[in-house]
Amino acid sequence: MEKVRRSVLYVPGSNPRALEKARGLPCDAVALDLEDSVTPELKVSARQAVCAALKNYGPREVVVRINALSSAWGADDLAALRQARPDGIILPKVQTASDIAAAKGDIPVWAMIETARAVLNLAAIAGSGAAVLMLGSNDLLADMGATVMAGRQNLWGVLTQAVIAARAHGLGAIDGTFNPLDDASGFAAECAQGRDFGFDGKSLIHPGQIEIANRVFAPSADDITEARGIVAAFAKAENRERGAIALDGRMVERLHAQAAARVIARADAIAAREL
Ligand code: COA
Ligand code: MG
């Protein structure tokens, strides 16, 4: 069954309360963080806490963000996690495909796209054996010398290119974070934007964001009804040999039937989750 990653919640590895709290939250994945949310003095204790907590998250996918391999902690983080075995390792500050090669073992690597060089190298990074591309918009904007713009206008090109690179190589694609904690409608709009650009889900920073992301990144009841109608129409005997048919006053092609089947598969995968 396909992976469901509507909501990927960052949890600071140095925050025991948050590590505990996430065990009962309805996010599809937890991203236990050893990097930017953890201060240097706490890097080693956070690593130990995260390794000890890894198996506590039930059906949630558990990925751990290590420190960059160029940092003082990256190599030890990687060695510890190869023992502890999370479902995935998030590699920050990726610049080139060889960064992925350095982290790759038998645990899937999620490549953070958060540097200007990573954007230039998207095709090679996506083809390097990574499992997921995960946007790091805060770092990327800083590296670009850009600021936050309404509607993320200065990131549209990156959103498109990251999703295209991911799809071309069959990888997952997770959108970046939304920093305001008190703007539910702005958050919902940014989730919808990420979904419409093609992302599987969104990086989250607070439990209050989970429900909205889960809703926006799931097919709606109308989407599912429409998808079932399209699949059923192509299954009719008179339509079996046809590449395009008329349905409810518009043309529907076989590619739409394939997309509809994906919507149904995704809805089934979501329904099968018990969070
Ligand atoms: N994961 C798990 N639990 C979280 C959480 C998170 N990311 N953020 C908040 N919580 C918990 C709090 O512990 C608190 O639990 P409790 O009331 O049951 O004890 C509850 O949710 C409400 O938290 P709240 O008081 O609203 O937030 P805060 O002021 O404690 O924390 C942040 C705000 C932004 C510091 C916090 O949400 C956070 O650390 N987010 C993640 C930051 C991060 O990982 N950044 C790096 C990636 S960009
Ligand atoms: Mg970052």
Side-chain angles (χ1 to χ4, degrees):
M1 198 167 270
E2 75 171 272
K3 295 264 192 221
V4 176
R5 295 173 174 138
R6 300 164 297 173
S7 46
V8 181
L9 177 66
Y10 279 111
V11 184
S14 54
N15 182 338
R17 172 67 199 142
L19 284 172
E20 174 67 26
K21 175 119 183 157
R23 298 175 64 168
L25 295 172
C27 48
D28 290 324
V30 289
L32 310 181
D33 187 29
L34 302 177
E35 198 218 11
D36 284 346
S37 71
V38 178
T39 55
E41 309 77 64
L42 295 178
K43 292 289 189 192
V44 173
S45 61
R47 181 194 299 142
Q48 287 162 352
V50 162
C51 288
L54 270 189
K55 303 293 172 193
N56 293 344
Y57 295 96
R60 293 162 199 79
E61 191 169 11
V62 179
V63 289
V64 177
R65 184 165 75 171
I66 64 173
N67 290 283
L69 291 179
S70 58
S71 75
W73 308 280
D76 288 346
D77 288 346
L78 186 59
L81 286 160
R82 282 181 169 156
Q83 297 291 316
R85 305 201 57 78
D87 298 317
I89 291 175
I90 303 176
L91 192 63
K93 311 292 189 305
V94 170
Q95 311 245 23
T96 65
S98 58
D99 292 337
I100 307 297
K104 209 171 150 14
D106 59 353
I107 301 175
V109 173
W110 294 28
M112 288 213 68
I113 304 303
E114 58 179 351
T115 65
R117 282 187 73 197
V119 175
L120 279 184
N121 292 326
L122 267 170
I125 291 167
S128 68
V132 172
L133 300 184
M134 191 173 190
L135 194 67
S137 355
N138 292 325
D139 274 298
L140 181 58
L141 286 173
D143 204 28
M144 289 163 63
T147 51
V148 174
M149 280 180 83
R152 300 197 288 179
Q153 287 184 58
N154 48 3
L155 290 175
W156 289 358
V158 175
L159 299 178
T160 299
Q161 289 304 315
V163 170
I164 285 175
R167 298 307 172 215
H169 292 278
L171 315 190
I174 306 297
D175 199 359
T177 58
F178 181 77
N179 299 334
L181 295 171
D182 54 358
D183 178 6
S185 64
F187 176 67
E190 197 174 286
C191 286
Q193 183 192 42
R195 175 201 63 202
D196 293 347
F197 269 86
F199 286 95
D200 303 319
K202 195 153 178 74
S203 307
L204 310 182
I205 49 172
H206 192 276
Q209 297 180 322
I210 296 171
E211 203 181 312
I212 292 173
N214 283 352
R215 175 169 47 76
V216 173
F217 281 97
S220 68
D222 285 351
D223 294 337
I224 296 167
T225 304
E226 186 187 354
R228 292 213 173 102
I230 292 172
V231 168
F234 273 101
K236 282 187 184 157
E238 69 263 30
N239 291 332
R240 289 241 173 91
E241 308 300 320
R242 300 178 61 184
I245 59 174
L247 182 67
D248 298 333
R250 66 190 169 95
M251 179 192 72
V252 182
E253 291 180 281
R254 218 156 257 287
L255 70 96
H256 296 115
Q258 286 155 7
R262 284 197 297 274
V263 168
I264 294 167
R266 187 164 163 76
D268 288 346
I270 289 167
R273 296 187 73 71
E274 288 166 29
L275 294 170

